């Protein structure tokens, strides 16, 4: 079945619900074939019991709780993104209409906090969609670089849990609901991180399962991705660089595995699952979980040290591709402007090298916007203080958006590396040379800016003449040259 008008419908119990009903299963029966699915419910801050299903109300014959009571249709939301279900059977992602999905994400970890207003959030989502982005990486309440309950973590003035950590704070979740749904209706597919790694030490496994049950009940019917833990393995910052740091990291990674299983078993709509690695221990989610059995796609995090990360980053991409056939995406690398470095030039380089070597997409980030800086005390300001409004205008985002739009326009279906199609070509030892890949009938070559070359070389003359080789015999080729700074075809 082709999905042409994606929609999510919400049902509500007209009688009074009990707290024990929260996350209880609702049986939903489809019209026509009579197929049924059980979806988890959730309580809103007013105590009403709700559930959400894909599609519109005309698709559902009945929606009942475990007591046989009917939930009645309340409202629905329409949007443009087509969701993605389950594990990919190729090295790229495909939506539920089986169309190739080229992931281009922005990093907005603190998007579900009062650090940005509802109006500004909505405007940013629309702006990124217009630029060519289609994913937003955002943390669901339990955030990095700020302790639980600190002002920087609040939304609608409260935390995602009551301060005694005994109950979910439904006022926070209702406010977060607005943000997530606004993002989806603006054309984004949120990649929702449940909690940063070390919160499992503070909250424990059962409460984090409950946290995830709330996320699944509210958002799994929408087109979303799940990241079960941020920087999985990371302990509290005060314990970093202890003598037994690596052993602690492995222990924490093991603690998260039952939570990952809970997410997989509880989500009726089977949204894709990953974890976000911490480069102090592992570059990829595959390494962090000692394999890909628990994953549907793979995230990398490879550091923020400007051009110094290039060789290790591309090596990590290659290793992740060897270790698994699942789609690989670098979810965090070299935020634009971080520590005064990683300019637009490097953003373009990272995007094109990753994509041409077979990545399923790429994640952008900008220092200042991921935590929505408003002053020099903002979370993460130690890496460079820049107001988030200014960070949102940095040129790298627009240039990556243009690149993604171009690839979609030529029906990108994943690249097969083809560096050897050029006589002078890149490899890990010569990363400043041209990179190339094939998708469909297209051979794309990317020429890094000359400033990517080692300083001792100066301006190289080895590319004064470009020689292509290993092309298809008896074939006709046309050539375009695109300016990656503005997307214009110059020849």
């Amino acid at each position: 079945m082709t999905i042409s008008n994606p929609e999510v419908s919400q049902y509500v119990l007209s009688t009074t619900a009990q707290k024990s009903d929260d996350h209880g299963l609702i049986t939903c029966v489809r019209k026509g074939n009579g197929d049924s699915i059980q979806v988890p419910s959730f309580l809103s801050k007013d105590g009403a019991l709700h559930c959400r299903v894909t599609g519109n109300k005309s698709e559902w014959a009945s929606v009942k709780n475990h007591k046989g009571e009917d939930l009645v249709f309340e409202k629905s939301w329409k949007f443009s993104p087509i969701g993605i279900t389950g594990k990919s059977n190729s090295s790229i992602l495909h939506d539920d209409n089986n169309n190739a999905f080229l992931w281009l994400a922005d990093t907005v970890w603190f998007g579900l906090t009062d650090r940005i207003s509802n109006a500004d959030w909505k405007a940013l989502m629309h702006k990124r969609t217009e630029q060519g982005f289609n994913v937003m990486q955002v943390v669901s309440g339990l955030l990095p670089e700020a302790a639980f309950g600190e002002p920087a973590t609040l939304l609608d003035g409260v935390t995602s849990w009551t301060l005694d950590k005994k109950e979910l704070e439904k006022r926070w979740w209702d406010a977060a609901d607005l943000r997530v749904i606004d993002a989806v209706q603006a054309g984004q597919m949120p990649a929702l991180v449940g909690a940063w790694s070390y919160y499992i030490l503070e909250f424990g496994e059962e409460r984090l399962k409950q946290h995830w049950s709330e996320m699944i009940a509210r958002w799994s019917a929408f087109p979303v991705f799940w990241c079960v833990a941020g920087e999985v393995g990371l302990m509290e910052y005060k314990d970093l660089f202890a003598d037994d740091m690596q052993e602690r990291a492995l222990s924490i990674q093991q603690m998260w595995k039952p939570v990952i299983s809970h997410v997989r078993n509880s989500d009726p709509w089977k949204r894709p699952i990953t974890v976000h690695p911490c480069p102090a221990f592992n570059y990829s989610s595959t390494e962090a979980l000692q394999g890909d059995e628990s994953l549907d796609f793979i995230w990398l995090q490879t550091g923020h040290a400007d051009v110094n990360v290039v060789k290790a980053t591309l090596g990590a991409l290659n290793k992740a591709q060897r270790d698994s056939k699942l789609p690989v995406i670098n979810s965090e690398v070299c935020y634009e402007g971080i520590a005064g470095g990683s300019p637009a030039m490097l953003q373009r380089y990272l995007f094109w090298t990753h994509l041409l070597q077979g990545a399923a997409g790429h994640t952008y980030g900008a220092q200042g916007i991921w935590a929505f800086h408003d002053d020099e005390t903002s979370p993460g300001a130690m890496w460079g203080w820049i107001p988030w409004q200014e960070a949102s205008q940095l040129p790298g985002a627009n240039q990556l958006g243009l690149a993604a739009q171009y690839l979609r326009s030529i029906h990108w279906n994943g690249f097969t590396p083809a560096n050897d199609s050029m006589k002078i070509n890149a490899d890990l030892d010569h990363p400043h040379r041209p990179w190339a890949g094939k998708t469909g009938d297209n051979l794309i070559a990317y020429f890094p800016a000359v400033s990517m070359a080692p300083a001792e070389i100066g301006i190289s003359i080895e590319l004064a003449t470009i020689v292509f080789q290993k092309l298809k015999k008896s074939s006709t080729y046309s050539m375009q040259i695109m300016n990656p700074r503005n997307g214009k075809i110059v020849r």
Side-chain angles (χ1 to χ4, degrees):
M1 182 179 70
T2 299
I3 302 168
S4 55
N5 297 299
E7 188 172 352
V8 165
S9 295
Q10 179 167 297
Y11 287 76
V12 63
L13 184 66
S14 56
T15 59
T16 303
Q18 305 297 315
K19 280 190 175 181
S20 59
D21 294 327
D22 200 17
H23 306 154
L25 293 178
I26 307 297
T27 301
C28 307
V29 179
R30 290 188 184 275
K31 289 182 180 177
N33 59 20
D35 288 349
S36 66
I37 187 171
Q38 289 191 313
V39 304
S41 60
F42 65 92
L43 291 170
S44 54
K45 66 182 179 184
D46 61 5
L49 187 77
H50 308 272
C51 78
R52 290 170 177 167
V53 292
T54 60
N56 62 52
K57 63 178 181 179
S58 67
E59 298 178 34
W60 299 96
S62 69
V63 178
K64 297 179 182 289
N65 67 7
H66 69 284
K67 299 175 185 176
E69 298 172 308
D70 287 311
L71 277 73
V72 298
F73 175 79
E74 185 178 11
K75 58 184 174 180
S76 69
W77 299 269
K78 295 180 179 180
F79 41 85
S80 60
I82 304 297
I84 295 176
T85 302
K87 191 183 293 282
S88 176
N89 60 4
S90 78
S91 61
I92 64 170
L93 297 162
H94 289 85
D95 67 24
D96 290 339
N97 285 342
N98 202 34
N99 294 316
F101 180 85
L102 196 164
W103 167 301
L104 180 61
D106 196 4
T107 308
V108 287
W109 298 136
F110 279 67
L112 305 184
T113 71
D114 289 327
R115 302 190 64 75
I116 181 171
S117 70
N118 285 341
D120 283 342
W121 170 260
K122 199 169 183 176
L124 179 63
M125 296 299 99
H126 282 282
K127 174 181 178 175
R128 288 302 195 229
T129 299
E130 291 167 3
Q131 288 176 311
F133 288 77
N134 53 11
V135 179
M136 291 290 121
Q137 295 181 185
V138 62
V139 182
S140 184
L142 301 176
L143 291 140
E145 308 245 1
F148 174 72
E150 284 186 2
T153 69
L154 306 183
L155 178 61
D156 197 24
V158 294
T159 57
S160 55
W161 284 76
T162 55
L163 290 176
D164 60 10
K165 303 174 189 171
K166 290 184 178 179
E167 292 184 347
L168 292 162
E169 176 53 82
K170 298 294 185 168
R171 181 174 152 193
W172 185 94
W173 290 93
D174 281 3
D177 236 4
L178 298 175
R179 298 276 176 95
V180 171
I181 294 170
D182 276 349
V184 172
Q185 290 194 298
Q188 296 298 319
M189 293 173 65
L192 290 150
V193 183
W196 227 247
S197 172
Y198 46 77
Y199 283 95
I200 201 161
L201 303 173
E202 184 177 354
F203 278 74
E205 176 187 320
E206 291 308 313
R207 273 180 285 196
L208 284 168
K209 286 180 178 178
Q210 192 177 351
H211 190 90
W212 266 104
S213 292
E214 185 78 9
M215 292 174 65
I216 291 165
R218 287 178 180 262
W219 300 324
S220 65
F222 291 98
V224 297
F225 299 92
W226 299 137
C227 173
V228 179
E231 295 195 316
V232 64
L234 181 66
M235 61 288 301
E236 294 180 3
Y237 296 117
K238 64 181 178 62
D239 295 326
L240 275 173
F241 309 114
D243 291 341
D244 62 347
M245 183 177 72
Q246 295 293 336
E247 290 80 4
R248 289 194 196 190
L250 180 60
S251 174
I252 294 168
Q253 288 163 351
Q254 299 302 311
M255 292 170 70
W256 274 103
K257 288 187 175 181
V259 183
I260 298 170
S261 296
H262 173 76
V263 174
R264 187 170 299 283
N265 296 333
S266 301
D267 178 6
W269 309 108
K270 305 304 177 188
R271 299 308 181 193
I273 293 171
T274 194
V275 295
H276 175 253
C278 177
F281 318 115
N282 313 101
Y283 278 148
S284 75
S285 47
T286 321
E287 293 171 334
L289 297 182
Q290 303 84 49
D292 65 3
E293 183 180 352
S294 301
L295 303 167
D296 297 320
F297 63 111
I298 294 165
W299 267 6
L300 307 178
Q301 185 193 171
T302 56
H304 292 282
D306 205 279
V307 294
N308 299 299
V309 308
V310 163
K311 186 172 181 177
T313 289
L314 296 176
L317 171 64
N318 295 161
K319 183 178 187 304
Q321 291 168 321
R322 290 193 302 270
D323 289 346
S324 174
K325 301 301 182 184
L326 294 175
V328 181
I329 297 159
N330 200 333
S331 69
E332 184 176 340
V333 57
C334 290
Y335 292 151
E336 187 170 7
I338 193 167
S342 302
M345 174 199 71
L346 186 59
Q347 304 306 315
R348 296 191 305 272
Y349 177 89
L350 292 167
F351 174 92
W352 283 106
T353 54
H354 282 68
L355 265 292
L356 290 170
Q357 297 307 289
H362 193 69
T363 294
Y364 169 81
Q367 180 63 9
I369 198 171
W370 62 267
F372 294 96
H373 285 180
D374 54 7
D375 63 30
E376 295 180 31
T377 67
S378 299
M382 69 183 76
W383 308 111
W385 147 240
I386 177 174
W388 76 261
Q389 295 89 342
E390 184 179 332
S392 72
Q393 303 292 333
L394 289 171
N398 193 56
Q399 292 170 11
L400 268 55
L402 291 170
Q405 290 183 57
Y406 174 75
L407 292 180
R408 294 176 189 130
S409 76
I410 63 168
H411 307 294
W412 170 91
N413 194 33
F415 277 108
T416 300
N419 292 336
D420 61 355
S421 63
M422 306 189 72
K423 188 172 183 181
I424 303 296
N425 60 69
D427 55 37
L428 290 186
D429 292 324
H430 305 91
H432 52 281
R433 292 177 178 173
W435 296 81
K438 293 179 180 178
T439 185
D441 291 329
N442 296 285
L443 171 66
I444 307 290
Y446 170 71
F447 293 79
V450 70
S451 53
M452 288 295 300
E456 66 272 14
I457 291 178
I459 296 177
S460 173
I461 63 170
E462 64 183 355
L463 294 173
T465 301
I466 308 302
V467 179
F468 290 94
Q469 58 190 17
K470 298 187 178 182
L471 302 181
K472 287 183 180 179
K473 293 182 179 180
S474 304
S475 297
T476 300
Y477 285 82
S478 61
M479 178 180 283
Q480 291 180 336
I481 299 176
M482 185 184 78
N483 183 339
R485 297 163 182 79
N486 58 24
K488 293 181 178 179
I489 306 299
V490 297
R491 186 177 303 176

